[in-house]
Amino acid sequence: MTAEQRVHLAKSAPPAYSSLAGLAKQVGAIAADAGIDDRLKELVQIHVSQLNGCAYCVRVHVEKGMKAGLDADAVAQIATWRDSGVFTERERAGLELAEAFTFIHEDGIPDEVYDRVGGVLTEAEYVALSWILISINAFNRLAIAGRYPVPPRDTSAASQR
């Protein structure tokens, strides 16, 4: 079955998608109130989307991340964040929490992760990041189930300038 033949869940159930989009908007407000900057917010959403194999959301959040201050080097280092020196302590805590939430079915949020992350983030930041991670995992499942397309970019117009 091709992507064109699949039911587009967002278009087929607009109220449900609207509710999910509303959740994401509310989560963004909670994150802003807690002091989660856009760079960290996009960084963890890119990582979750990579871990879940959601090419569509990776593209969306890399674009947003670049606008929020991520550069190509930081994006390239996400997969190796534990060995990379380009991330702050807060970003490293967010990336670790992103992995725990994405693979929550394996061990829940292990106590050592909770304690380590809790030693870096405030409770409000932990709560905000947790909701960001819950939201992006839901969006990943929507896009993956629907095989949302990620076509090559048309770079010919840009290179002709």
Side-chain angles (χ1 to χ4, degrees):
M1 178 173 280
T2 66
E4 294 80 30
Q5 295 170 318
R6 288 199 176 221
V7 171
H8 193 289
L9 295 172
K11 291 179 182 173
S12 298
Y17 181 79
S18 190
S19 293
L20 185 57
L23 170 68
K25 185 175 180 178
Q26 183 63 50
V27 165
I30 291 168
D33 289 347
I36 301 295
D37 61 85
D38 287 343
R39 177 184 158 102
L40 176 55
K41 180 180 168 187
E42 297 306 329
L43 185 65
V44 298
Q45 290 183 106
I46 293 166
H47 194 39
V48 168
S49 298
Q50 289 171 330
L51 294 170
N52 282 325
C54 185
Y56 183 86
C57 292
V58 167
R59 177 173 280 173
V60 167
H61 291 287
V62 165
E63 287 176 356
K64 289 181 175 185
M66 299 298 255
K67 291 176 184 171
L70 289 174
D71 59 19
D73 185 47
V75 171
Q77 294 293 314
I78 293 171
T80 58
W81 69 267
R82 282 184 174 80
D83 298 318
S84 175
V86 305
F87 302 109
T88 67
E89 187 177 24
R90 283 170 49 80
E91 291 169 340
R92 296 171 70 75
L95 290 164
E96 185 170 18
L97 193 59
E99 291 176 358
F101 265 87
T102 302
F103 301 119
I104 202 164
H105 62 283
E106 293 176 1
D107 295 317
I109 305 297
D111 290 341
E112 61 273 9
V113 172
Y114 183 86
D115 292 342
R116 196 169 28 257
V117 170
V120 175
L121 302 174
T122 67
E123 184 176 331
E125 290 170 331
Y126 179 88
V127 168
L129 274 176
S130 296
W131 278 106
I132 290 168
L133 299 169
I134 291 166
S135 176
I136 190 60
N137 270 289
F139 274 106
N140 286 172
R141 280 145 181 77
L142 178 69
I144 292 166
R147 291 191 181 163
Y148 285 22
V150 183
R153 295 205 186 273
D154 180 10
T155 57
S156 60
S159 63
Q160 291 176 357
R161 290 184 198 153

